[in-house]
Amino acid sequence: MLEEHPLIEMEREIVGGDFQRAGDVSSELKNILQRAGFPPAFNRRVVIASYEAEMNVVIHAYRGVFKASVYSDRVHVEIDDQGPGIPDLELAFQEGYSTAPPHIREMGFGAGYGLSNMKKCSDVLTIDTRVQEGTKVVMDFFLFSNS
């Protein structure tokens, strides 16, 4: 049975186009998980997927909200953005497919592995996207999974 009350909760704003602070939210979550004593392999899965979601907001959206709830046996992450949405979600999951503009790629971002990395690292991934409105990504990571 899953616990209903999280040990730790965090909520942070993400600003689209702010590459100076890109990755700060994921780094903060990493520090929280390390202090809470989760195993490094579990932390790595959570942080990789969270970083990819955070970067998608920075690269593609105007703004977003990152929420994480840490339980003793799992982590729940939600990223809700205001942005262009994803017109073809199936295509967006193909590794190497990217809609990032050239100037973003020149900075080393937007290689087209974000969604596939989120899928690989999370135990449950749901995406609700609406063109010209935004995208909501929800991921769950279970401490005792086979991932």
Side-chain angles (χ1 to χ4, degrees):
M1 184 169 186
L2 298 175
E3 287 183 44
E4 294 187 22
H5 300 289
L7 304 170
I8 302 164
E9 291 181 295
M10 67 179 283
E11 180 175 328
R12 301 291 181 268
E13 299 284 328
I14 302 171
V15 177
D18 185 358
F19 287 90
Q20 291 287 88
R21 300 186 60 202
D24 286 358
V25 175
S26 302
S27 291
E28 183 179 348
L29 180 57
K30 177 183 176 183
N31 290 335
I32 289 170
L33 296 175
Q34 287 175 333
R35 283 196 310 268
F38 284 98
F42 178 78
N43 295 347
R44 190 174 313 111
R45 289 194 308 120
V46 175
V47 172
I48 288 171
S50 297
Y51 176 79
E52 296 286 6
E54 181 182 0
M55 290 308 299
N56 276 349
V57 174
V58 172
I59 293 169
H60 299 286
Y62 311 115
R63 67 187 62 81
V65 176
F66 181 102
K67 296 179 184 175
S69 299
V70 179
Y71 300 84
S72 63
D73 60 348
R74 70 188 191 282
V75 175
H76 177 83
V77 174
E78 294 183 13
I79 301 94
D80 198 357
D81 75 41
Q82 294 175 345
I86 304 170
D88 187 335
L89 195 54
E90 186 176 332
L91 184 59
F93 267 101
Q94 291 183 12
E95 292 187 348
Y97 176 78
S98 176
T99 59
H103 72 280
I104 300 296
R105 291 180 186 214
E106 288 171 10
M107 291 190 297
F109 301 108
Y113 291 87
L115 291 179
S116 61
N117 280 340
M118 285 184 242
K119 187 174 182 178
K120 288 177 187 172
C121 291
S122 63
D123 292 300
V124 179
L125 169 66
T126 58
I127 297 176
D128 179 23
T129 185
R130 294 186 176 89
V131 174
Q132 300 304 318
E133 292 183 26
T135 301
K136 182 174 184 176
V137 174
V138 178
M139 298 181 286
D140 285 289
F141 308 86
F142 298 101
L143 184 57
F144 303 108
S145 73
N146 294 325
S147 298

